Amino acid sequence: MVEEVQKHSVHTLVFRSLKRTHDMFVADNAKPIPLDEKSHKVKMAVKLRTEYESVLHMPVPKENAREKGSQGLLDSYGHKQYLTNSGEDSEYLITGTHPYPPGPGVALTADTKIQRMPSESAAQSLAVALPPSQSKMEANRTAAGVGDIYRHAGIPERSQPPGLTMAMMEAGGNKNSALMAKKAATMPKPQWHPPWKLYRVISGHLGWVRCIAVEPGNQWFVTGSADRTIKIWDLASGKLKLSLTGHISTVRGVIVSARSPYLFSCGEDKQVKCWDLEYNKVIRHYHGHLSAVYGLDLHPTIDVLVTCSRDSTARIWDVRTKASVHTLTGHTNAVATVKCQAAEPQIITGSHDTTIRLWDLVAGKTRVTLTNHKKSVRAVVLHPRQYTFASGSPDNIKQWKFPDGNFIQNLSGHNAIINTLAVNSDGVLVSGADNGTMHLWDWRTGYNFQRVHAAVQPGSLDSESGIFACAFDQSESRLLTAEADKTIKVYREDDTATEETHPVSWKPEIIKRKRF
């Protein structure tokens, strides 16, 4: 009769394994890692070369000097070299255009003599140690003397390694002239932008206004709403021109083609429609998404439509044949926004899985995945002139550089769920959030120069204030926002404002360029 093997839970087995591992390695827990002499030499050689290369010419070992002859020595810059403390057994030569120590600085006595050149395995000391008995003035003069040697040797001070400067350190009564990190860079003064003010509120939708787009001719704009309709409005007067019905759920995206008289829309009914604006009816459907379609964009130079969906994919469609060219897979949660551009990478997506992906349009594969955001990325916007873009998330707005998605800077302060971003050629970045707030930023410096929280439409609840989409018109003189109080609000720059009446309340803050 075979004995039954006792069964244990997975929990018990895992913890037994952990205990065995712990018992096996606990004896070595506090032991330092043995020093590898060869790797240490390589490390120190690299450190000397990268950090101290520009100052290594200063102290010259006496042995080398004797070989060349002590009289009339010339350094690499053609200047004479002088022996220090010629009456003593000098260890180093100091380069410069005047005798040292009679120049600026203190005499090198037996107490202040520079140490002999260390062995290869040790770090080279570049600090001139002064005893506690020396006065603070002498210490400062020593520091100045080193800078003076730089200037007289024909080397500009800024030629030192970036991020290093000669500074004074005090520690336990000993004063050292040492290489210290400079202060962090301060924010440059931002460009002045006039403030934007609300001048028109357009009503007509019966539900949340979820998306907005301005047509290329700048005569009218189109909105999509939770009332399942698409409405076309006159941009100059704000009057309703046309309503289009056909979606059976919330319309989440609209865009007008610059290459043909077509309007494209998508919605939570999984449908993507192409409307012919000469007949005001649907002429094509693009079938394939398995869930709500959250956004769409048109390629600027070829007849390609890109859509993104809650099914974690983005799809590329041939506008004319309705064929699905590529299905872009890789995101692990809903894809909230998609943008196209003519340059590489041609497609950019932002997702609720907190990542941004840059795609190869030809291969239909991911080129780069950006994982810096900690929360959902609901908005992405491309700068109209620069080769850069921005992404919006509740943790931060981040700026990036194409083509590899190199991080530029964080724009911090809009602490809300950011649904939409827009930027114009003047460098005004707008972020609209779920709580109805809108922040305006200077693109170059990331300075937040205006914050707006417009009142909700009379009859709406205060809690019903949210900005779902925003867009500049083609002239970039008007800003349109689609909001949760069922209205479209139109803003324009304050013509009466000047830099004197609305000065920039700017302080040179320390820039915090965090990677994450």
Side-chain angles (χ1 to χ4, degrees), residues 158-184:
R158 66 170 65 97
S159 71
Q160 300 177 45
L164 296 176
T165 184
M166 299 303 291
M168 294 305 299
M169 270 198 329
E170 292 190 16
N174 290 327
K175 302 172 181 62
N176 296 326
S177 172
L179 293 167
M180 295 281 289
K182 285 182 181 177
K183 282 185 179 178

PDB file of all heavy atoms in Angstrom, residues 158-184:
ATOM      1  N   ARG A 158      35.172  78.507 -17.687  1.00  0.00           N
ATOM      2  CA  ARG A 158      34.017  77.674 -18.053  1.00  0.00           C
ATOM      3  C   ARG A 158      34.425  76.395 -18.757  1.00  0.00           C
ATOM      4  O   ARG A 158      33.614  75.553 -19.063  1.00  0.00           O
ATOM      5  CB  ARG A 158      33.038  78.452 -18.921  1.00  0.00           C
ATOM      6  CG  ARG A 158      33.542  78.855 -20.282  1.00  0.00           C
ATOM      7  CD  ARG A 158      32.396  79.398 -21.096  1.00  0.00           C
ATOM      8  NE  ARG A 158      31.891  80.621 -20.523  1.00  0.00           N
ATOM      9  CZ  ARG A 158      32.230  81.846 -20.920  1.00  0.00           C
ATOM     10  NH1 ARG A 158      33.100  82.006 -21.900  1.00  0.00           N
ATOM     11  NH2 ARG A 158      31.725  82.910 -20.364  1.00  0.00           N
ATOM     12  N   SER A 159      35.741  76.258 -19.032  1.00  0.00           N
ATOM     13  CA  SER A 159      36.182  75.025 -19.676  1.00  0.00           C
ATOM     14  C   SER A 159      36.337  73.876 -18.690  1.00  0.00           C
ATOM     15  O   SER A 159      36.702  72.787 -19.060  1.00  0.00           O
ATOM     16  CB  SER A 159      37.509  75.247 -20.398  1.00  0.00           C
ATOM     17  OG  SER A 159      38.556  75.398 -19.459  1.00  0.00           O
ATOM     18  N   GLN A 160      36.088  74.156 -17.395  1.00  0.00           N
ATOM     19  CA  GLN A 160      36.098  73.062 -16.441  1.00  0.00           C
ATOM     20  C   GLN A 160      34.957  72.113 -16.744  1.00  0.00           C
ATOM     21  O   GLN A 160      34.005  72.479 -17.427  1.00  0.00           O
ATOM     22  CB  GLN A 160      35.941  73.612 -15.026  1.00  0.00           C
ATOM     23  CG  GLN A 160      37.081  74.575 -14.642  1.00  0.00           C
ATOM     24  CD  GLN A 160      36.847  75.138 -13.268  1.00  0.00           C
ATOM     25  OE1 GLN A 160      36.503  74.416 -12.354  1.00  0.00           O
ATOM     26  NE2 GLN A 160      37.029  76.439 -13.127  1.00  0.00           N
ATOM     27  N   PRO A 161      35.029  70.891 -16.237  1.00  0.00           N
ATOM     28  CA  PRO A 161      33.950  69.930 -16.512  1.00  0.00           C
ATOM     29  C   PRO A 161      32.614  70.497 -16.073  1.00  0.00           C
ATOM     30  O   PRO A 161      32.530  71.165 -15.043  1.00  0.00           O
ATOM     31  CB  PRO A 161      34.337  68.707 -15.657  1.00  0.00           C
ATOM     32  CG  PRO A 161      35.789  68.857 -15.409  1.00  0.00           C
ATOM     33  CD  PRO A 161      36.079  70.312 -15.404  1.00  0.00           C
ATOM     34  N   PRO A 162      31.527  70.295 -16.855  1.00  0.00           N
ATOM     35  CA  PRO A 162      30.223  70.835 -16.477  1.00  0.00           C
ATOM     36  C   PRO A 162      29.774  70.292 -15.138  1.00  0.00           C
ATOM     37  O   PRO A 162      29.943  69.135 -14.813  1.00  0.00           O
ATOM     38  CB  PRO A 162      29.291  70.331 -17.606  1.00  0.00           C
ATOM     39  CG  PRO A 162      30.026  69.202 -18.221  1.00  0.00           C
ATOM     40  CD  PRO A 162      31.486  69.505 -18.070  1.00  0.00           C
ATOM     41  N   GLY A 163      29.138  71.193 -14.354  1.00  0.00           N
ATOM     42  CA  GLY A 163      28.615  70.770 -13.063  1.00  0.00           C
ATOM     43  C   GLY A 163      29.638  70.839 -11.955  1.00  0.00           C
ATOM     44  O   GLY A 163      29.332  70.558 -10.804  1.00  0.00           O
ATOM     45  N   LEU A 164      30.928  71.236 -12.263  1.00  0.00           N
ATOM     46  CA  LEU A 164      31.950  71.321 -11.218  1.00  0.00           C
ATOM     47  C   LEU A 164      32.458  72.743 -11.120  1.00  0.00           C
ATOM     48  O   LEU A 164      32.618  73.423 -12.114  1.00  0.00           O
ATOM     49  CB  LEU A 164      33.119  70.385 -11.540  1.00  0.00           C
ATOM     50  CG  LEU A 164      32.799  68.892 -11.565  1.00  0.00           C
ATOM     51  CD1 LEU A 164      34.024  68.125 -11.988  1.00  0.00           C
ATOM     52  CD2 LEU A 164      32.337  68.416 -10.204  1.00  0.00           C
ATOM     53  N   THR A 165      32.733  73.202  -9.940  1.00  0.00           N
ATOM     54  CA  THR A 165      33.289  74.538  -9.742  1.00  0.00           C
ATOM     55  C   THR A 165      34.134  74.528  -8.490  1.00  0.00           C
ATOM     56  O   THR A 165      33.922  73.710  -7.599  1.00  0.00           O
ATOM     57  CB  THR A 165      32.179  75.599  -9.638  1.00  0.00           C
ATOM     58  OG1 THR A 165      32.782  76.872  -9.548  1.00  0.00           O
ATOM     59  CG2 THR A 165      31.300  75.372  -8.420  1.00  0.00           C
ATOM     60  N   MET A 166      35.095  75.420  -8.434  1.00  0.00           N
ATOM     61  CA  MET A 166      35.923  75.499  -7.246  1.00  0.00           C
ATOM     62  C   MET A 166      35.138  76.214  -6.161  1.00  0.00           C
ATOM     63  O   MET A 166      34.651  77.309  -6.356  1.00  0.00           O
ATOM     64  CB  MET A 166      37.212  76.286  -7.572  1.00  0.00           C
ATOM     65  CG  MET A 166      38.069  75.653  -8.665  1.00  0.00           C
ATOM     66  SD  MET A 166      38.547  73.972  -8.298  1.00  0.00           S
ATOM     67  CE  MET A 166      39.659  74.256  -6.950  1.00  0.00           C
ATOM     68  N   ALA A 167      35.002  75.609  -5.015  1.00  0.00           N
ATOM     69  CA  ALA A 167      34.230  76.205  -3.923  1.00  0.00           C
ATOM     70  C   ALA A 167      34.882  75.845  -2.601  1.00  0.00           C
ATOM     71  O   ALA A 167      35.723  74.957  -2.526  1.00  0.00           O
ATOM     72  CB  ALA A 167      32.786  75.722  -3.967  1.00  0.00           C
ATOM     73  N   MET A 168      34.484  76.526  -1.550  1.00  0.00           N
ATOM     74  CA  MET A 168      35.052  76.273  -0.231  1.00  0.00           C
ATOM     75  C   MET A 168      34.144  75.346   0.548  1.00  0.00           C
ATOM     76  O   MET A 168      32.930  75.469   0.512  1.00  0.00           O
ATOM     77  CB  MET A 168      35.193  77.599   0.531  1.00  0.00           C
ATOM     78  CG  MET A 168      36.191  78.553  -0.085  1.00  0.00           C
ATOM     79  SD  MET A 168      37.811  77.810  -0.288  1.00  0.00           S
ATOM     80  CE  MET A 168      38.194  77.460   1.402  1.00  0.00           C
ATOM     81  N   MET A 169      34.757  74.388   1.248  1.00  0.00           N
ATOM     82  CA  MET A 169      34.019  73.467   2.100  1.00  0.00           C
ATOM     83  C   MET A 169      34.541  73.599   3.506  1.00  0.00           C
ATOM     84  O   MET A 169      35.736  73.719   3.712  1.00  0.00           O
ATOM     85  CB  MET A 169      34.210  72.018   1.637  1.00  0.00           C
ATOM     86  CG  MET A 169      33.208  71.576   0.636  1.00  0.00           C
ATOM     87  SD  MET A 169      33.137  69.779   0.511  1.00  0.00           S
ATOM     88  CE  MET A 169      34.778  69.254   0.883  1.00  0.00           C
ATOM     89  N   GLU A 170      33.636  73.568   4.466  1.00  0.00           N
ATOM     90  CA  GLU A 170      34.050  73.554   5.854  1.00  0.00           C
ATOM     91  C   GLU A 170      33.511  72.292   6.498  1.00  0.00           C
ATOM     92  O   GLU A 170      32.330  72.010   6.428  1.00  0.00           O
ATOM     93  CB  GLU A 170      33.505  74.780   6.596  1.00  0.00           C
ATOM     94  CG  GLU A 170      34.146  76.073   6.126  1.00  0.00           C
ATOM     95  CD  GLU A 170      33.783  77.237   7.022  1.00  0.00           C
ATOM     96  OE1 GLU A 170      33.306  76.972   8.141  1.00  0.00           O
ATOM     97  OE2 GLU A 170      33.976  78.384   6.598  1.00  0.00           O
ATOM     98  N   ALA A 171      34.396  71.553   7.147  1.00  0.00           N
ATOM     99  CA  ALA A 171      33.971  70.327   7.821  1.00  0.00           C
ATOM    100  C   ALA A 171      34.887  70.090   9.000  1.00  0.00           C
ATOM    101  O   ALA A 171      36.081  69.860   8.833  1.00  0.00           O
ATOM    102  CB  ALA A 171      34.027  69.143   6.854  1.00  0.00           C
ATOM    103  N   GLY A 172      34.338  70.171  10.214  1.00  0.00           N
ATOM    104  CA  GLY A 172      35.104  69.900  11.419  1.00  0.00           C
ATOM    105  C   GLY A 172      36.280  70.840  11.606  1.00  0.00           C
ATOM    106  O   GLY A 172      37.311  70.447  12.121  1.00  0.00           O
ATOM    107  N   GLY A 173      36.158  72.102  11.207  1.00  0.00           N
ATOM    108  CA  GLY A 173      37.229  73.067  11.405  1.00  0.00           C
ATOM    109  C   GLY A 173      38.257  73.078  10.297  1.00  0.00           C
ATOM    110  O   GLY A 173      39.045  73.999  10.188  1.00  0.00           O
ATOM    111  N   ASN A 174      38.304  72.062   9.448  1.00  0.00           N
ATOM    112  CA  ASN A 174      39.254  72.037   8.328  1.00  0.00           C
ATOM    113  C   ASN A 174      38.621  72.670   7.112  1.00  0.00           C
ATOM    114  O   ASN A 174      37.479  72.373   6.781  1.00  0.00           O
ATOM    115  CB  ASN A 174      39.656  70.601   7.988  1.00  0.00           C
ATOM    116  CG  ASN A 174      40.522  70.000   9.060  1.00  0.00           C
ATOM    117  OD1 ASN A 174      41.291  70.712   9.688  1.00  0.00           O
ATOM    118  ND2 ASN A 174      40.382  68.703   9.265  1.00  0.00           N
ATOM    119  N   LYS A 175      39.358  73.518   6.443  1.00  0.00           N
ATOM    120  CA  LYS A 175      38.842  74.214   5.271  1.00  0.00           C
ATOM    121  C   LYS A 175      39.510  73.639   4.032  1.00  0.00           C
ATOM    122  O   LYS A 175      40.731  73.587   3.966  1.00  0.00           O
ATOM    123  CB  LYS A 175      39.104  75.715   5.388  1.00  0.00           C
ATOM    124  CG  LYS A 175      38.480  76.320   6.643  1.00  0.00           C
ATOM    125  CD  LYS A 175      38.914  77.740   6.830  1.00  0.00           C
ATOM    126  CE  LYS A 175      38.311  78.325   8.091  1.00  0.00           C
ATOM    127  NZ  LYS A 175      38.723  77.647   9.301  1.00  0.00           N
ATOM    128  N   ASN A 176      38.725  73.239   3.075  1.00  0.00           N
ATOM    129  CA  ASN A 176      39.278  72.635   1.864  1.00  0.00           C
ATOM    130  C   ASN A 176      38.810  73.384   0.638  1.00  0.00           C
ATOM    131  O   ASN A 176      37.653  73.788   0.552  1.00  0.00           O
ATOM    132  CB  ASN A 176      38.825  71.168   1.718  1.00  0.00           C
ATOM    133  CG  ASN A 176      39.361  70.308   2.834  1.00  0.00           C
ATOM    134  OD1 ASN A 176      40.458  70.548   3.303  1.00  0.00           O
ATOM    135  ND2 ASN A 176      38.590  69.335   3.259  1.00  0.00           N
ATOM    136  N   SER A 177      39.674  73.551  -0.319  1.00  0.00           N
ATOM    137  CA  SER A 177      39.276  74.029  -1.638  1.00  0.00           C
ATOM    138  C   SER A 177      38.960  72.791  -2.455  1.00  0.00           C
ATOM    139  O   SER A 177      39.856  72.020  -2.761  1.00  0.00           O
ATOM    140  CB  SER A 177      40.412  74.825  -2.263  1.00  0.00           C
ATOM    141  OG  SER A 177      40.098  75.123  -3.586  1.00  0.00           O
ATOM    142  N   ALA A 178      37.683  72.578  -2.769  1.00  0.00           N
ATOM    143  CA  ALA A 178      37.292  71.299  -3.363  1.00  0.00           C
ATOM    144  C   ALA A 178      36.401  71.516  -4.564  1.00  0.00           C
ATOM    145  O   ALA A 178      35.908  72.611  -4.815  1.00  0.00           O
ATOM    146  CB  ALA A 178      36.557  70.453  -2.323  1.00  0.00           C
ATOM    147  N   LEU A 179      36.210  70.445  -5.325  1.00  0.00           N
ATOM    148  CA  LEU A 179      35.308  70.494  -6.476  1.00  0.00           C
ATOM    149  C   LEU A 179      33.902  70.218  -5.997  1.00  0.00           C
ATOM    150  O   LEU A 179      33.610  69.149  -5.488  1.00  0.00           O
ATOM    151  CB  LEU A 179      35.744  69.439  -7.501  1.00  0.00           C
ATOM    152  CG  LEU A 179      37.106  69.740  -8.140  1.00  0.00           C
ATOM    153  CD1 LEU A 179      37.598  68.520  -8.865  1.00  0.00           C
ATOM    154  CD2 LEU A 179      36.999  70.909  -9.067  1.00  0.00           C
ATOM    155  N   MET A 180      33.029  71.210  -6.155  1.00  0.00           N
ATOM    156  CA  MET A 180      31.662  71.110  -5.649  1.00  0.00           C
ATOM    157  C   MET A 180      30.682  71.237  -6.798  1.00  0.00           C
ATOM    158  O   MET A 180      30.960  71.912  -7.791  1.00  0.00           O
ATOM    159  CB  MET A 180      31.374  72.240  -4.642  1.00  0.00           C
ATOM    160  CG  MET A 180      32.197  72.148  -3.385  1.00  0.00           C
ATOM    161  SD  MET A 180      31.522  70.925  -2.270  1.00  0.00           S
ATOM    162  CE  MET A 180      30.032  71.761  -1.756  1.00  0.00           C
ATOM    163  N   ALA A 181      29.513  70.620  -6.661  1.00  0.00           N
ATOM    164  CA  ALA A 181      28.469  70.728  -7.682  1.00  0.00           C
ATOM    165  C   ALA A 181      27.899  72.135  -7.676  1.00  0.00           C
ATOM    166  O   ALA A 181      27.710  72.735  -6.629  1.00  0.00           O
ATOM    167  CB  ALA A 181      27.376  69.719  -7.419  1.00  0.00           C
ATOM    168  N   LYS A 182      27.625  72.666  -8.870  1.00  0.00           N
ATOM    169  CA  LYS A 182      26.993  73.981  -8.966  1.00  0.00           C
ATOM    170  C   LYS A 182      25.545  73.916  -8.523  1.00  0.00           C
ATOM    171  O   LYS A 182      24.968  72.856  -8.421  1.00  0.00           O
ATOM    172  CB  LYS A 182      27.039  74.480 -10.413  1.00  0.00           C
ATOM    173  CG  LYS A 182      28.406  74.959 -10.854  1.00  0.00           C
ATOM    174  CD  LYS A 182      28.307  75.472 -12.284  1.00  0.00           C
ATOM    175  CE  LYS A 182      29.654  75.950 -12.778  1.00  0.00           C
ATOM    176  NZ  LYS A 182      29.602  76.378 -14.183  1.00  0.00           N
ATOM    177  N   LYS A 183      24.944  75.096  -8.330  1.00  0.00           N
ATOM    178  CA  LYS A 183      23.512  75.158  -8.041  1.00  0.00           C
ATOM    179  C   LYS A 183      22.736  74.642  -9.249  1.00  0.00           C
ATOM    180  O   LYS A 183      23.175  74.766 -10.382  1.00  0.00           O
ATOM    181  CB  LYS A 183      23.080  76.601  -7.758  1.00  0.00           C
ATOM    182  CG  LYS A 183      23.424  77.086  -6.370  1.00  0.00           C
ATOM    183  CD  LYS A 183      22.833  78.474  -6.175  1.00  0.00           C
ATOM    184  CE  LYS A 183      23.133  78.983  -4.777  1.00  0.00           C
ATOM    185  NZ  LYS A 183      22.601  80.346  -4.584  1.00  0.00           N
ATOM    186  N   ALA A 184      21.566  74.094  -8.969  1.00  0.00           N
ATOM    187  CA  ALA A 184      20.722  73.623 -10.069  1.00  0.00           C
ATOM    188  C   ALA A 184      20.331  74.804 -10.950  1.00  0.00           C
ATOM    189  O   ALA A 184      20.208  75.928 -10.485  1.00  0.00           O
ATOM    190  CB  ALA A 184      19.473  72.946  -9.515  1.00  0.00           C
TER     191      ALA A 184
END
